[in-house]
C-alpha cells in the first residue's frame, strides 16, 4: 500500500506544445507544476516522421538525464490541427505534414500512452486549471500568433464538437470580399488578426495614406508584429493605426463569437498579444461597442498571465494525467 | 400504489409557442403526443400583462372544457428573448413588452409550475426528441420567420451559455457595412435571411437590375415571402434571384456557425423555410462551397418535418415534464 502511494507520487506526464518556430516540452507533476521545461527549435517541418523521431529522442534524453526518479505516465501533444478523436494531425498550414497519424508515428519511438489535441484547445485547458479561467464555466481562449486559434470551454468542459473541429475561429469571415487566406477562402479573421495580418494591414495603410512612417523603411519580411509594436511605442502614428484597425476587426470577430457562445470571458494569449498592450487596449474599447445590447457589460476581456506555450503544455499534460493516471487509479479503486 | 400510477398516467404538460402573429397552445402527454392543440391570435403586443392574462384564460378554458380528466403538471413557454435562467422576457423586438418578469406575471393567473425559454431553443428540444434530430449529439436548429433564431444542442444537451443568451445567430454580422437591423447594428444575418430580409432583397434587386418582374406591381407591404415564392414558382427571374441571393448569405452564416460548433446537422424550420424549397435548395448548393475544407461532406442540411410552432410546443412541454414530473418521480422514488 505504501509502495503504491510512492509510485503514484512520482508519476508525471509530458506536455508538448508544437509551434511553427519552437517546440516547448514540459515534464509536469499531477498538480500542474512544470518540473522541467525545454524549448527546442521546431525542425523537420517538411516531414512529420522525421519531426516525431527528433522530438521523441529529445523527450527520452531529457527524461533519462534529469528525471530518472519519476515515471512518465503519459504524453499530451498540443499541435495545430491536432484531432483529439482520431490522433491525426490534419493538414496544418504552417507544416508540410499532410494528414498524418501522429500518435501512430510517435508510438514507434515512445512506449507510453499518448493523447493529442489542437494547441488552442490545450491552452484552454491550461487556462482553466492554472490560469485566468480558474473557476469559470464558459470561456474562450484566443491564441494570436502566426495564425489565430481558439479553445472553448462550455459548462465547465472543453468543447470538441462532433469531429473535434469546433472553434476554428481564425477562419470565420469578417469580410466576404476580404483578404485571401491560406485556407483558400477570403476575409478570414486571421488574415487580419495574426502576426501576418498585422503586416498586411501595415502595407494596406501605407498604400492608402500619405502619412510619414518609419514602417516605410522596411521590406515585407522585416515588418513583423514586434517591429510594428516597437514603432507604435515610439509614437509612429501609422504603426499605432495598424493596432487600432486590427483591434476593431478582432472586436467584430469576438462579438460574433459572444453571440454564438454567450461566454463569461475571452482570454487572449500568444506572441502578438504578448508584444505590448496596444491590441488588447483597442479591443476592450471596441468590443462593447460591437456587442448586441443584451451581452454588454457581461463578458470580460482578459490577457493570459502564462508565458507563451505554457498554458498548452500544462493543459496537454493535465489531460494526459486525467486520462492515464486518474482513470487508472479509479479503476484500481473500484476493482 | 395503483392510485399513484394512474395519476402519473394522466399527467400532461402545456407547451406554448408565442409568435409575432399567432400563439400555439398544445396539451402534451409524457410521450410528446399533442392531445389538444389550439392556435390563437397573438393579441396585446403592447402589454405583457394583458397578453399573459389573455393567454392564461385561454389555457384555463381549453383545459376545463376538454381535458378535465388530466392533471396539468406544468407549463413550458417558448417565447422570443425568453431567458431560461431568470424567467424574464428581455426586450423582444416584435413586441413592445420591455424587460419583464413573465413567469411572475403568469403566476397571478395560473397556479402551476412554469418554465420559460427562447422559442428557437424550445424548437431544438422538440426536434431532438420528436423530429429530425433524434439521436443526434450536436446540431443547430435555425428558425426563419419574421427574424432568424437558433437553438443549439451540444453533446446531447440544449446549450444555454452563461446567461441563457447563446445562439442569437440572427445577429451575427455577414456584412460590416450592411443593412440596418432592428437591434441597432448593421449587417446582421437576419436583415437578409428572414421574411423581411427577402422583401428588402427584392427591393434591392429591383433597384439594381432592369429585368421585368411582377414584383414591380406591388408595394413594400405587399411583397412578402409568400408572394416572392409564388412568383418564383411561376418562373419570375427576379423572384428566383431573391431566393438565390438569400441562400448565398445564409450559406455564409451557417458555414461560420459550423466553424464555431462543428455540428453534425443544421435543421431549418419556420415560415420562410416552409414557403417552398427555393431557399433550402440554394443553401445546399452554396453551403459546401463556403465551408472550410476540413468540414466538407460532414454536415447535413435538413428541413424540419413538423408544422410551424409544433417543435417549440413539444420541446417546451418536454422540458416542463422533465422538470416538474420526472424530477418529482425521482424524488419520490429515492425518498
Amino acid at each position: 500500500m505504501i509502495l503504491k502511494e510512492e509510485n503514484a507520487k512520482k508519476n508525471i506526464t509530458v506536455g508538448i506544445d508544437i509551434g511553427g518556430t519552437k517546440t516547448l516540452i514540459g515534464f509536469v507533476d499531477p498538480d500542474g507544476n512544470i518540473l522541467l521545461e525545454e524549448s527546442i527549435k521546431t525542425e523537420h517541418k517538411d516531414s512529420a516522421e522525421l519531426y516525431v523521431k527528433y522530438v521523441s529522442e529529445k523527450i527520452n534524453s531529457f527524461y533519462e538525464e534529469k528525471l530518472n526518479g519519476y515515471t512518465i505516465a503519459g504524453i499530451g501533444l498540443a499541435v495545430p490541427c491536432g484531432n483529439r478523436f482520431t490522433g491525426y494531425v490534419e493538414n496544418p498550414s504552417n507544416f508540410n505534414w499532410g494528414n498524418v497519424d501522429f500518435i501512430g508515428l510517435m508510438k514507434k519511438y515512445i512506449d507510453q500512452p499518448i493523447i493529442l489535441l489542437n494547441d488552442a484547445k490545450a491552452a484552454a485547458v491550461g487556462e482553466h486549471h492554472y490560469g485566468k479561467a480558474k473557476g469559470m464555466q464558459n470561456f474562450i481562449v484566443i491564441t494570436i500568433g502566426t495564425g489565430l486559434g481558439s479553445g472553448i470551454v462550455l459548462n465547465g468542459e472543453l468543447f470538441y464538437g462532433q469531429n473535434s473541429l469546433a472553434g476554428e475561429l481564425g477562419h470565420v469571415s469578417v469580410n466576404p470580399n476580404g483578404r485571401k487566406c491560406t485556407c483558400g477562402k477570403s476575409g478570414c479573421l486571421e488574415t487580419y488578426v495574426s502576426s501576418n495580418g498585422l503586416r498586411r494591414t501595415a502595407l494596406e495603410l501605407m498604400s492608402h495614406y500619405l502619412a510619414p512612417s518609419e514602417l516605410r523603411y522596411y521590406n515585407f519580411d522585416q515588418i513583423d508584429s514586434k517591429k510594428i509594436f516597437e514603432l507604435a511605442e515610439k509614437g509612429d502614428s501609422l504603426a499605432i493605426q495598424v493596432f487600432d484597425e486590427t483591434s476593431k476587426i478582432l472586436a467584430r470577430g469576438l462579438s460574433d463569437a459572444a453571440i454564438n457562445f454567450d461566454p463569461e470571458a475571452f482570454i487572449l494569449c500568444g506572441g502578438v498579444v504578448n508584444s505590448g498592450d496596444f491590441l488588447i487596449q483597442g479591443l476592450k474599447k471596441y468590443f462593447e461597442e460591437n456587442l448586441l445590447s443584451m451581452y454588454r457589460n457581461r463578458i470580460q476581456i482578459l490577457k493570459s498571465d502564462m508565458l507563451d506555450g505554457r498554458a498548452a503544455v500544462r493543459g496537454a499534460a493535465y489531460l494526459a494525467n486525467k486520462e492515464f493516471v486518474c482513470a487508472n487509479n479509479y479503476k484500481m479503486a473500484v476493482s
Side-chain angles (χ1 to χ4, degrees), chain A:
Chain A
M1 191 64 196
I2 286 165
L3 190 70
K4 202 187 272 176
E5 278 198 351
E6 266 184 15
N7 272 338
K9 259 183 208 164
K10 290 186 172 178
N11 269 332
I12 55 172
T13 54
V14 188
I16 302 171
D17 180 54
I18 303 173
T21 313
K22 60 170 196 167
T23 295
L24 192 64
I25 303 172
F27 296 82
V28 182
D29 77 12
D31 298 322
N33 301 307
I34 298 178
L35 303 179
L36 173 70
E37 181 183 82
E38 299 281 350
S39 178
I40 60 174
K41 191 161 175 281
T42 299
E43 307 271 11
H44 307 297
K45 291 169 75 170
D46 281 331
S47 163
E49 183 123 21
L50 289 178
Y51 174 81
V52 163
K53 183 167 182 288
Y54 159 77
V55 80
S56 301
E57 285 166 358
K58 291 284 186 190
I59 294 167
N60 286 330
S61 75
F62 292 139
Y63 171 66
E64 278 162 27
E65 280 168 31
K66 300 176 183 171
L67 291 160
N68 233 328
Y70 296 88
T71 304
I72 294 180
I75 291 173
L77 298 169
V79 47
C81 301
N83 189 311
R84 178 76 173 90
F85 298 167
T86 64
Y88 273 61
V89 171
E90 300 173 343
N91 305 300
S93 60
N94 293 312
F95 300 83
N96 202 10
W97 289 350
N99 187 17
V100 57
D101 177 5
F102 210 81
I103 290 184
L105 284 183
M106 202 162 204
K107 291 269 186 187
K108 292 186 194 170
Y109 305 100
I110 295 200
D111 184 26
Q112 288 295 339
I114 303 169
I115 60 156
L116 168 157
L117 77 168
N118 171 288
D119 51 344
K121 286 188 174 66
V125 175
E127 293 292 345
H128 198 198
H129 293 281
Y130 313 114
K132 284 282 176 76
K134 255 189 228 168
M136 288 188 189
Q137 291 293 302
N138 295 286
F139 68 90
I140 301 177
V141 165
I142 304 285
T143 65
I144 310 176
T146 318
L148 185 149
S150 70
I152 301 166
V153 169
L154 304 177
N155 299 327
E157 294 290 335
L158 182 62
F159 177 60
Y160 289 100
Q162 187 67 17
N163 295 298
S164 188
L165 298 175
E168 290 289 340
L169 294 190
H171 297 281
V172 297
S173 168
V174 289
N175 182 351
N177 304 310
R179 295 176 183 169
K180 281 284 161 205
C181 183
T182 51
C183 76
K185 291 174 65 184
S186 291
C188 294
L189 182 59
E190 78 173 26
T191 66
Y192 299 88
V193 186
S194 63
S195 57
N196 203 34
L198 286 170
R199 185 202 319 255
R200 293 168 85 170
T201 300
L203 295 175
E204 189 178 325
L205 292 177
M206 282 194 277
S207 77
H208 197 75
Y209 295 102
L210 296 165
S213 165
E214 274 194 51
L215 283 167
R216 298 188 195 274
Y217 306 156
Y218 302 97
N219 72 23
F220 185 86
D221 284 332
Q222 290 167 329
I223 299 173
D224 59 12
S225 57
K226 217 172 138 193
K227 174 66 70 190
I228 301 169
F229 170 70
E230 281 169 16
L231 294 179
E233 280 270 274
K234 285 167 65 181
D236 187 295
S237 66
L238 211 133
I240 290 170
Q241 200 182 346
V242 171
F243 282 107
D244 196 58
E245 295 294 332
T246 307
S247 48
K248 271 184 197 162
I249 293 171
L250 181 57
R252 286 222 319 271
L254 297 195
S255 64
D256 274 357
I259 283 174
N260 279 276
F261 292 106
D262 182 18
E264 54 200 296
F266 289 97
I267 295 159
L268 279 79
C269 60
V272 171
V273 179
N274 293 332
S275 64
D277 282 341
F278 285 102
L279 186 69
I280 206 156
Q281 280 168 4
L283 175 64
K284 284 181 179 175
K285 189 167 82 181
Y286 297 119
F287 178 64
E288 289 288 329
E289 286 176 19
N290 269 278
L291 277 178
L292 198 61
S293 61
M294 61 175 80
Y295 300 93
R296 283 193 196 133
N297 303 311
R298 284 176 153 168
I299 303 169
Q300 297 179 74
I301 301 283
L302 302 169
K303 185 175 164 181
S304 169
D305 54 9
M306 280 194 257
L307 288 181
D308 209 16
R310 285 227 182 118
V313 161
R314 295 171 85 184
Y318 174 91
L319 290 175
N321 182 65
K322 188 176 161 193
E323 182 97 358
F324 305 125
V325 182
C326 299
N328 277 340
N329 287 350
Y330 177 75
K331 274 182 220 153
M332 283 197 288
V334 295
S335 66

